[in-house]
Amino acid sequence: MSVRELDDHEGVFVRNPTETIRDYRVALRNEYSIPRPRELARSVKEQMLGGSDTHISEARKILTALEIIDEEAYSRLGIKADAFKDFTFRLLHSEKSEQANSAVDSFIILSYTWHSPAWTPHPSLTLSGYSGPGPLTPAMWTALLAQLREHECFWIDQLCITQSSDSEKIAAIGSMDLLYKSARKVIIVLEDIALCSDDRELLYLYTESGGTYHMSEDEQDRMASLFAKIVSARWFERAWCLHEFLVSRRHVFLVPVCQGDGPASSAQSSALILRLDGYLLVRVYEIYIRQYMKHQYARQDTSQPIESFTGTKIDQIRRFCNRLRALDLQDALGSGDKPLEDGSFMNMFYQVFSHASMYQADKVSIILNTMRSGLYIKNPTLLSEEDCLWFITVVAMAAGDATALTTTGRRSNDRERQLNNKKQWIRAPCSLDQARRAGALSIPRTHINAEMTPKGLELDVLRLGTNIDMIAPSQHDLSIARWLIDHRSLCAILPDEQEMRLDIEEDEYSYSRLRIAYIQALACALACGKEWILAYYARSYGSLPRGVNLQWDPAARTTVVAAVEWSLATVIECDIEVHLEETWQDFRTMKWASDALQNEYDGDDYIASYLGKPWTQSLNPDEQVWYSVILEFTETLVTFGLGIPSPDPDEPENLEWNVRMMRNAQGSNALVYAPEASYQVVVPTALKDDAYNWMSRLWYLREEETNDHYRLLGKSRIASTGSSLPAPNQRVTIVG
């Protein structure tokens, strides 16, 4: 449970049901008294915040490497311990703690969004005409004070940091993670949304039953909708709020409950505020996901529409709730302060930059804090997002973070400027870069022998070959793969009862390119043979669909072999003789776009006429399982094995990319996603270890006129069954 009271006698967290949900009915008024913050002595600061020397050795190691890699980035950073020395620690005292200044040993801390013209607090929290100067509405201020224990103090950034002092703000930002980590509890205030009375009643019914209350379908939909209300709050979109959540462990949420329509009137003398803990939010999130999936895939009608989130927002919500769940598990196991991050600066960049902040440089500070780097920015001048990307990339390289070299997202938006300073080889992290190999909880560090020079990035690489070594699948294998992908509607048990990534792509251009990648990937796998498919499953994932391990159960191996053999026999019988010659005259990428959309194959009439029998009778149960195995294998191969990104229409090189086979000196096959161009195939030497085989570590370099100077065309993962990369080492310069 992520929000619990600490039992001081036993030193363990225990679940307290009364802490899961609670009401606060507070008087409505237009003003409140704001106490003056009091500065604490340095010894008290060090005692309460635990000092800043925990990660000092890591900080020095990073700075030593960074001085070699990029002196400009090195000059901007300092060791956090120095910021902590300069940090002025002040606390606010309530009336309860006013007489106990010397005895204060605990504080709570506020996480909220500053009031601004961009948004207004929910009308249920204020009397008409309220525009007070405080950081919270009077009603929410009262609810905040109710969270204090006797003699306990609290901290709010607006009031405890001198906002006119740049030096004080720099020191405070560098120490912010220590503050939120050390607080007894983080109080997360949501003032721009409100639940309704029915929402509150349903939450109480569910909580008081211990989660066993049997909800009707309509009540489950209502529970999903109230979750959507909560996560639509502005707090979930702000980068500093994300920081405050990530660096702390114990959270409660204060959410207003609307008791009527419109602003509170003079006849309405009180506001109702609900306190929820993270444990309850996770359970409500699970209901939301279940109901959303039910309506999304079963196309079920409902009287209570469920708000759907897509793209960045759903990723933010998923990460938030997964972290709450992980904190709950850690508390249950007593694993304490073990980091929940995977060790990737670039993955944290992706997460933080999906949130908003007033200054981009703040996001760099957030990443340094959440990654426990022991570093802070000494001179946070105005930075663009491109500057931040460069900054975090070189810091990650200095820290030995392999993901600095394996990101596959967009190039710099500031293309002309980046070409001038030789940094265009840098790629932003994207959603596919976040996928990790099954069981990989953290990313091992490595030594990256690199240096930013006036000419570009000097880097040690292993040379694996050239574009000449790439092998395209035959028309025969492509025809088989095309039939299997384009007739997937025949399979009634699609992977995990969900649509494939291909089926949820709405853009026609992106769909056509992805469809080609699916067909090519499956064709290459079939060309490599049954044993390659079996070995790839066993090496990379270890299990078949529904968790049957190839190494544990001989029947699982038999299922895969049967699936491949059935696919080959069925397709040859049904399709190749009819379509091979007329379809595959030219299988270059864009030639397929005209017939890319799958809807040409939809419909019972087409399937019945094609197979000569109703579609419900077209595949027996065994064939359904085999087809599902093939489709899930292809989905896994494309999304995780090859990490094929969604096409970028703005790609400046305008290259065609295709799935190809690459054979090493030992004769073993690997699948890669490669451009149609002349290039050298290399892997950075720092990534030669098998621990990085699931990353996009294969680089395609186009040679420039200057010897050993190259331009980066793109990257790919290597889908292979072997672990060795036998190749000579070479120093090259990447100029863009």
Side-chain angles (χ1 to χ4, degrees):
M1 183 173 178
S2 57
V3 181
R4 304 191 179 111
E5 300 295 330
L6 180 62
D7 187 320
D8 296 327
H9 299 289
E10 298 181 11
V12 296
F13 286 103
V14 293
R15 180 163 296 159
N16 184 348
T18 63
E19 296 300 316
T20 300
I21 186 170
R22 181 182 292 181
D23 282 343
Y24 295 94
R25 190 170 293 279
V26 299
L28 283 172
R29 57 183 191 273
N30 272 335
E31 59 182 18
Y32 57 92
S33 175
I34 300 176
R36 189 173 67 178
R38 298 183 181 180
E39 184 176 343
L40 277 70
R42 174 170 293 187
S43 59
V44 178
K45 176 181 74 172
E46 292 177 350
Q47 178 184 355
M48 295 187 70
L49 303 185
S52 60
D53 57 356
T54 305
H55 305 291
I56 196 167
S57 61
E58 174 71 6
R60 288 172 175 163
K61 178 182 175 183
I62 293 174
L63 287 178
T64 299
L66 189 59
E67 187 175 15
I68 298 172
I69 294 173
D70 194 307
E71 291 185 0
E72 182 182 353
Y74 168 80
S75 67
R76 295 184 180 223
L77 290 175
I79 294 177
K80 183 184 288 288
D82 296 332
F84 184 72
K85 290 176 184 176
D86 297 334
F87 170 56
T88 303
F89 185 35
R90 304 183 182 96
L91 285 176
L92 299 161
H93 294 251
S94 68
E95 294 179 359
K96 296 179 182 179
S97 61
E98 195 70 31
Q99 305 301 322
N101 185 32
S102 60
V104 170
D105 62 357
S106 174
F107 68 100
I108 62 174
I109 197 166
L110 179 65
S111 180
Y112 68 118
T113 55
W114 286 35
H115 291 172
S116 77
W119 67 280
T120 56
H122 194 272
S124 65
L125 287 171
T126 63
L127 290 170
S128 181
Y130 169 76
S131 58
L136 299 175
T137 59
M140 202 58 89
W141 178 269
T142 303
L144 171 66
L145 296 184
Q147 311 308 309
L148 291 166
R149 291 176 173 175
E150 189 175 4
H151 306 318
E152 192 170 46
C153 300
F154 58 110
W155 190 91
I156 301 176
D157 56 357
Q158 277 189 68
L159 305 178
C160 295
I161 301 173
T162 304
Q163 298 299 318
S164 59
S165 171
D166 289 340
S167 60
E168 186 172 325
K169 286 194 288 187
I170 289 172
I173 288 173
S175 306
M176 200 69 69
D177 54 326
L178 300 174
L179 269 167
Y180 279 83
K181 176 184 174 182
S182 303
R184 178 181 66 83
K185 194 165 290 186
V186 176
I187 313 301
I188 298 171
V189 167
L190 310 181
E191 289 190 301
D192 57 327
I193 58 99
L195 301 178
C196 67
S197 298
D198 288 345
D199 294 334
R200 171 188 170 275
E201 181 181 352
L202 185 59
L203 284 170
Y204 266 101
L205 282 172
Y206 180 76
T207 304
E208 290 173 353
S209 70
T212 61
Y213 172 66
H214 183 68
M215 290 184 288
S216 66
E217 192 66 30
D218 182 64
E219 287 175 322
Q220 292 181 65
D221 285 345
R222 283 170 47 204
M223 188 74 90
S225 295
L226 77 85
F227 175 81
K229 288 182 191 177
I230 291 173
V231 297
S232 68
R234 181 179 172 86
W235 183 90
F236 290 90
E237 300 171 357
R238 306 302 297 175
W240 274 116
C241 295
L242 172 69
H243 169 274
E244 293 152 9
F245 174 70
L246 291 178
V247 298
S248 56
R249 294 190 58 83
R250 291 174 287 281
H251 320 87
V252 292
F253 297 78
L254 298 181
V255 186
V257 177
C258 185
Q259 302 176 80
D261 297 328
S265 64
S266 57
Q268 186 176 315
S269 60
S270 64
L272 182 60
I273 296 173
L274 201 61
R275 186 179 82 173
L276 311 172
D277 76 352
Y279 173 78
L280 178 57
L281 272 186
V282 168
R283 300 301 174 265
V284 177
Y285 166 70
E286 291 168 350
I287 295 172
Y288 170 84
I289 291 296
R290 184 171 64 244
Q291 294 305 106
Y292 172 76
M293 299 291 283
K294 187 181 297 182
H295 292 294
Q296 178 74 9
Y297 297 112
R299 306 292 191 263
Q300 180 175 320
D301 293 331
T302 176
S303 58
Q304 179 76 40
I306 298 174
E307 183 175 354
S308 62
F309 301 103
T310 58
T312 300
K313 183 66 176 181
I314 192 64
D315 186 63
Q316 291 171 352
I317 295 168
R318 177 184 58 80
R319 289 176 182 272
F320 167 76
C321 291
N322 284 346
R323 186 175 182 87
L324 283 177
R325 186 185 288 115
L327 287 170
D328 180 52
L329 180 61
Q330 277 196 349
D331 285 346
L333 297 176
S335 53
D337 195 30
K338 185 177 179 181
L340 292 172
E341 290 73 35
D342 60 9
S344 169
F345 281 84
M346 306 312 294
N347 289 353
M348 186 58 69
F349 180 97
Y350 176 82
Q351 187 173 356
V352 171
F353 273 79
S354 69
H355 292 69
S357 67
M358 184 174 295
Y359 304 108
Q360 298 288 12
D362 284 352
K363 297 181 181 180
V364 174
S365 296
I366 290 169
I367 295 169
L368 294 176
N369 283 348
T370 53
M371 291 303 298
R372 306 187 182 199
S373 67
L375 299 171
Y376 81 107
I377 300 181
K378 294 187 296 185
N379 52 342
T381 56
L382 291 176
L383 298 175
S384 68
E385 183 171 340
E386 309 310 316
D387 293 328
C388 296
L389 176 58
W390 151 74
F391 196 92
I392 291 301
T393 299
V394 294
V395 169
M397 290 170 64
D401 175 9
T403 60
L405 302 177
T406 61
T407 51
T408 58
R410 61 165 178 79
R411 292 172 181 262
S412 167
N413 291 327
D414 193 4
R415 191 167 299 139
E416 182 177 351
R417 177 168 174 259
Q418 292 286 18
L419 281 172
N420 290 337
N421 61 23
K422 311 298 183 183
K423 295 173 183 174
Q424 203 182 346
W425 60 271
I426 293 174
R427 298 291 188 272
C430 66
S431 58
L432 283 173
D433 296 330
Q434 313 307 301
R436 292 181 288 179
R437 180 177 58 187
L441 299 179
S442 62
I443 299 171
R445 295 293 170 89
T446 184
H447 173 65
I448 300 177
N449 187 11
E451 180 180 358
M452 288 291 295
T453 70
K455 296 179 180 179
L457 173 70
E458 289 191 1
L459 183 68
D460 287 347
V461 299
L462 303 174
R463 190 182 295 274
L464 301 183
T466 70
N467 56 293
I468 298 175
D469 301 309
M470 298 296 174
I471 305 170
S474 68
Q475 292 190 20
H476 178 87
D477 290 325
L478 285 166
S479 287
I480 295 172
R482 177 178 178 172
W483 192 95
L484 290 165
I485 296 301
D486 286 346
H487 293 80
R488 60 191 179 277
S489 59
L490 295 174
C491 184
I493 50 172
L494 287 175
D496 297 329
E497 299 181 353
Q498 299 180 22
E499 292 172 303
M500 300 171 71
R501 176 185 166 203
L502 184 61
D503 293 318
I504 61 177
E505 179 56 65
E506 297 179 354
D507 178 73
E508 181 173 342
Y509 172 82
S510 297
Y511 178 93
S512 67
R513 297 294 298 269
L514 279 175
R515 168 180 172 268
I516 293 163
Y518 273 73
I519 292 170
Q520 291 178 336
L522 180 54
C524 287
L526 293 172
C528 291
K530 291 178 291 187
E531 292 302 320
W532 187 92
I533 293 175
L534 286 164
Y536 181 75
Y537 251 128
R539 168 178 163 75
S540 300
Y541 304 96
S543 63
L544 276 171
R546 290 162 291 281
V548 182
N549 193 290
L550 288 169
Q551 298 173 339
W552 295 343
D553 188 353
R557 180 184 179 91
T558 302
T559 301
V560 175
V561 172
V564 175
E565 292 177 344
W566 167 83
S567 300
L568 296 174
T570 301
V571 175
I572 289 173
E573 178 183 346
C574 292
D575 205 40
I576 283 185
E577 292 181 2
V578 178
H579 294 289
L580 179 59
E581 294 301 326
E582 67 184 49
T583 302
W584 301 107
Q585 294 298 320
D586 187 345
F587 52 88
R588 286 180 297 173
T589 299
M590 295 311 296
K591 295 292 185 181
W592 297 0
S594 61
D595 65 344
L597 295 179
Q598 187 212 347
N599 58 20
E600 65 179 294
Y601 294 109
D602 288 344
D604 295 353
D605 292 341
Y606 166 77
I607 297 172
S609 63
Y610 186 82
L611 295 174
K613 53 185 175 181
W615 72 271
T616 52
Q617 302 173 16
S618 60
L619 300 176
N620 63 42
D622 285 341
E623 291 171 333
Q624 290 281 356
V625 170
W626 295 332
Y627 206 166
S628 178
V629 167
I630 292 297
L631 291 176
E632 183 159 7
F633 170 78
T634 308
E635 178 76 17
T636 301
L637 181 62
V638 168
T639 302
F640 300 105
L642 292 167
I644 293 177
S646 296
D648 180 9
D650 298 324
E651 173 59 44
E653 298 290 348
N654 195 28
L655 296 174
E656 294 181 0
W657 285 70
N658 295 289
V659 181
R660 294 291 183 254
M661 293 173 283
M662 185 174 67
R663 189 163 295 157
N664 64 22
Q666 284 70 40
S668 61
N669 288 319
L671 270 55
V672 297
Y673 194 49
E676 294 297 315
S678 297
Y679 50 78
Q680 299 286 330
V681 184
V682 306
V683 169
T685 305
L687 307 180
K688 66 180 180 180
D689 192 278
D690 194 44
Y692 309 112
N693 71 351
W694 52 279
M695 297 182 180
S696 297
R697 56 177 176 161
L698 194 71
W699 287 31
Y700 301 107
L701 303 179
R702 183 174 63 195
E703 191 166 8
E704 300 290 285
E705 294 181 1
T706 306
N707 190 35
D708 285 335
H709 283 54
Y710 298 87
R711 188 169 301 279
L712 177 63
L713 297 180
K715 304 174 189 175
S716 172
R717 296 182 191 176
I718 308 172
S720 68
T721 60
S723 59
S724 62
L725 291 173
N729 188 70
Q730 179 181 350
R731 188 79 166 181
V732 298
T733 301
I734 315 296
V735 297

